[in-house]
């Protein structure tokens, strides 16, 4: 590939919408923008409820607040370029902005994965040793876990934008999506990308790969613990505490698995479907997480209704 660029880090990238639907981008983007707005509102409400309601100051809900914060960060990382492309028709994105967006998208994704692992461990402790649950997971321990998850996400993603600056790109490169991803940028480079690909692979294995494996291990331990409970009613009650978390784990990982399969099998046959899947695999988790917890968590529903009724009384 010929690289007509003056220096590394001075390329321009073109965002890609839905192939074949360029004339209808405004209409196609309406549901996507609605999902983003609802995601921001839903996760903001979750954060507000957990922060202001003392009854929700438990490890499970503190981890949920971290999940909501990472979802807000993911929305903030992807929403601006979607607005630029779909509503303003601006496709161009300079290298520095693209690299920054790539860093934050991957970092918040790794944070969410790490929080889901922490929540799986939290459910295991709550089922195995409910009497000492608060002692094993005090607020200080939850805070340390949150800091560790954040530091890991930053350290794993920091090398990627730094290493990208040494690569040569064409002056104008066309991205596969309406945002910047590491694998997409590496694939567009003209120079040797072996180190970049290796760093990206190690980063994924030490985050999503490790987390998903440990989550499966946690659920295997949870299942073994539940099967050791004598009462069928107590078994069902213990399993019911894991339903919300299991749902959001599936919502987080299944779209990524589907997108990976699609990219390897039918990406070029159905480019619009590939772009739609790529957008949904970032949009669906932030949108569905508040919905799942509002439906399944009695405490969240009660906290919301209490605040809503309080506002109505103040209004009258």
């Amino acid at each position: 590939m010929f690289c007509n660029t003056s220096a590394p880090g001075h390329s321009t990238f073109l965002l890609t919408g839905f192939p074949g639907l360029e004339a209808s981008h405004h209409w196609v983007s309406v549901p996507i923008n609605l999902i983003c707005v609802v995601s921001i509102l839903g996760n903001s409400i979750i954060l507000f409820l957990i922060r202001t309601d003392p009854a929700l100051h438990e490890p499970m809900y503190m981890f949920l607040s971290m999940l909501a914060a990472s979802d807000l960060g993911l929305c903030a990382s992807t929403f601006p370029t979607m607005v630029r492309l779909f509503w303003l028709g601006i496709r161009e994105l300079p290298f520095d902005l693209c690299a920054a967006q790539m860093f934050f998208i991957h970092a918040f994704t790794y944070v969410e994965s790490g929080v889901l692992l922490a929540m799986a461990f939290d459910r295991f402790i709550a089922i195995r040793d409910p009497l000492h649950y608060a002692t094993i997971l005090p607020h200080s321990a939850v805070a340390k876990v949150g800091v560790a998850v954040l530091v890991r996400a930053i350290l794993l993603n920091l090398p990627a934008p730094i290493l990208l600056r040494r690569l040569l790109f064409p002056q104008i490169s066309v991205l596969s999506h309406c945002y910047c991803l590491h694998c997409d940028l590496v694939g567009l480079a003209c120079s040797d990308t072996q180190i970049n690909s290796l760093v990206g692979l190690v980063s994924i294995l030490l985050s999503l790969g490790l987390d998903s494996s440990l989550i499966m291990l946690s659920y295997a331990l949870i299942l073994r613990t539940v099967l050791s409970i004598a009462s069928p009613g107590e078994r069902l009650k213990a399993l019911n505490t894991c339903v919300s978390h299991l749902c959001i784990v599936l919502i987080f990982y299944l779209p990524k698995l589907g997108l990976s399969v699609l990219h390897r099998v039918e990406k070029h046959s159905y480019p619009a479907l590939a772009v739609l899947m790529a957008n949904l695999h970032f949009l669906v988790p932030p949108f569905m997480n508040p919905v799942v917890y509002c439906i399944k968590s009695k405490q969240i529903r009660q906290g919301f209704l209490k605040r809503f009724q309080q506002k109505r009384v103040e209004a009258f």
Side-chain angles (χ1 to χ4, degrees), residues 264-283:
R264 285 162 176 76
V265 179
E266 295 290 348
K267 176 183 176 182
H268 300 291
S269 301
Y270 304 100
L273 179 60
V275 172
L276 178 62
M277 284 290 294
N279 286 324
L280 289 180
H281 103 285
F282 281 125
L283 294 175

Side-chain angles (χ1 to χ4, degrees), residues 156-167:
L156 287 178
N157 282 285
L158 202 55
I162 296 173
L163 291 173
L164 278 175
R165 293 197 66 87
R166 70 180 184 86
L167 300 180

Side-chain angles (χ1 to χ4, degrees), residues 110-144:
Y110 291 0
V111 167
E112 184 158 352
S113 178
V115 172
L116 289 177
L117 172 59
M119 294 173 81
F121 177 74
D122 167 78
R123 291 299 84 209
F124 171 63
I125 296 297
I127 291 173
R128 185 185 178 186
D129 199 358
L131 296 178
H132 299 93
Y133 173 60
T135 306
I136 297 173
L137 281 177
H139 289 179
S140 59
V142 173
K144 289 176 183 177

